[in-house]
Amino acid sequence: MSTPVLEISRAAFRANIAAVRARLDGSQLMLVMKDDAYGHGIEWAVAEAEAGGVSWFGSYDVPTALRIRAVTAQRVYAWAPSTGPEIDAAIGAGVELGVGSMEYLHAVIAAAERLGARVAVHLKIDTGLHRNGFRPEAWADAVAVARDAEARGSIRIVGVWSHLAEASDEEDDAAQEVFLDAVRILQNAGGEPEVLHLTASAAAWWRPELRGTLSRIGAFCYGIRSAEGPQLEGLSLISRLVATVDAMEGELVRIGVGAFHGLPSILRGAEVATPAGLRTIVRIDGDSTLVEGWPGAQEGDRVVVFGPGADGESDATALAERIDTVGEEILTRLTPAVRRELAD
Ligand SMILES: *Cc1c(COP(=O)(O)O)cnc(C)c1O
């Protein structure tokens, strides 16, 4: 069996970052790198983004933040609550921490005091998602504890942040009001947050009035459009999943990518791009997939499962829409058995 390849275009990534930065119009870009940079690999992406002027990198967890820190001196932010040794490692590496609960706030302050460090903290207000974040009624207490620690020199409150549901404009507007109230409460308590961040890809792109001074963006930088959303001007998917024809089986061909590589087996019926044009997936097996054949099909022919250069149902989001998920999931499910190949 041949090995499937995710071909990644550095040039497309650079162009997306430039387009996103232009669109943000002054709000700074924090490039979100969770899930191994949405399946594309962190190290090269940090280097490329940094060359393109990106000065903030965001990750969900601390281990990913440490991987980012290993290749850049720019600002690195981890927003998921973490525990003991990881908090210490983050502090040691100068990773900034998102804090959205009293328990975590106390843990971060205690670690900072033990290590004699001054930790950059971004306080999270829960604006409605209920995923972590201080509830509005608990915000004043959080601010009091954080300001007290700031006065002692163990933390620095560098940001206020939240995450939007992006389900409706009305909900997002209401979330912004809660967010701005929280910022005012912090400011009235003498806090001077340097950055305010509320928006991810879709809201930052479509709702400029919601943007703070910093926008945490993943999907659009990798060219992954929103499910049921339009193609975005100036952005393109940076990767292409390519499999090779391994065998002809009657009217069908067998290509070297399958469910074990992370291709959802319920994608049967989707179209892939062959040298003869689009053909339908007939069945997805463990390590291979059966596709409708074409005249003259040969072993070694390239088949593009998704990605630029293939027409039709060709971006990761189009595949995702078929099975009611998002483009990110198609990419992040791809296992390490899919070889990542970087091109310029
Ligand atoms: C994933 C995530 C982002 C980035 O979202 P995109 O839609 O990929 O831009 C931003 N902030 C948080 C908290 C996230 O979990």
Side-chain angles (χ1 to χ4, degrees), residues 32 34 38 79 131 161 163 166 200-202 216-220 328:
V32 172
K34 63 188 178 195
Y38 293 52
W79 64 75
R131 254 199 216 163
W161 73 290
H163 196 49
E166 293 182 340
S201 288
R216 300 181 310 273
I217 301 193
F220 285 12
E328 290 88 323

Side-chain angles (χ1 to χ4, degrees), residues 98-155:
V99 175
S101 74
M102 202 54 102
E103 189 189 349
Y104 192 42
L105 180 57
H106 283 304
V108 169
I109 292 169
E113 290 180 347
R114 186 164 34 76
L115 297 171
R118 188 151 185 249
V119 184
V121 161
H122 301 234
L123 295 177
K124 183 178 190 190
I125 175 77
D126 178 0
T127 52
L129 262 189
H130 305 305
R131 254 199 216 163
N132 179 25
F134 292 101
R135 298 283 305 142
E137 59 274 17
W139 182 253
D141 281 349
V143 164
V145 170
R147 285 284 297 144
D148 195 47
E150 190 166 46
R152 291 196 309 276
S154 46
I155 69 170

Side-chain angles (χ1 to χ4, degrees), residues 27-187:
S27 177
Q28 292 183 79
L29 168 62
M30 177 190 286
L31 178 64
V32 172
M33 315 212 78
K34 63 188 178 195
D35 294 312
D36 200 26
Y38 293 52
H40 296 99
I42 283 182
E43 286 73 16
W44 75 269
V46 171
E48 201 67 65
E50 191 171 351
V54 174
S55 56
W56 283 91
F57 294 89
S59 90
Y60 176 79
D61 58 305
V62 167
T64 301
L66 296 175
R67 269 179 71 194
I68 299 170
R69 171 56 78 226
V71 290
T72 182
Q74 303 288 348
R75 298 182 77 164
V76 181
Y77 177 57
W79 64 75
S82 190
T83 52
E86 271 187 13
I87 297 174
D88 290 3
I91 293 174
V95 169
E96 305 186 19
L97 297 174
V99 175
S101 74
M102 202 54 102
E103 189 189 349
Y104 192 42
L105 180 57
H106 283 304
V108 169
I109 292 169
E113 290 180 347
R114 186 164 34 76
L115 297 171
R118 188 151 185 249
V119 184
V121 161
H122 301 234
L123 295 177
K124 183 178 190 190
I125 175 77
D126 178 0
T127 52
L129 262 189
H130 305 305
R131 254 199 216 163
N132 179 25
F134 292 101
R135 298 283 305 142
E137 59 274 17
W139 182 253
D141 281 349
V143 164
V145 170
R147 285 284 297 144
D148 195 47
E150 190 166 46
R152 291 196 309 276
S154 46
I155 69 170
R156 202 156 54 86
I157 308 170
V158 298
V160 178
W161 73 290
S162 188
H163 196 49
L164 293 170
E166 293 182 340
S168 74
D169 284 358
E170 294 68 31
E171 264 178 84
D172 290 349
D173 289 340
Q176 186 188 32
E177 300 224 336
V178 174
F179 181 77
L180 293 175
D181 275 345
V183 173
R184 272 188 293 273
I185 290 167
L186 173 62
Q187 287 169 336

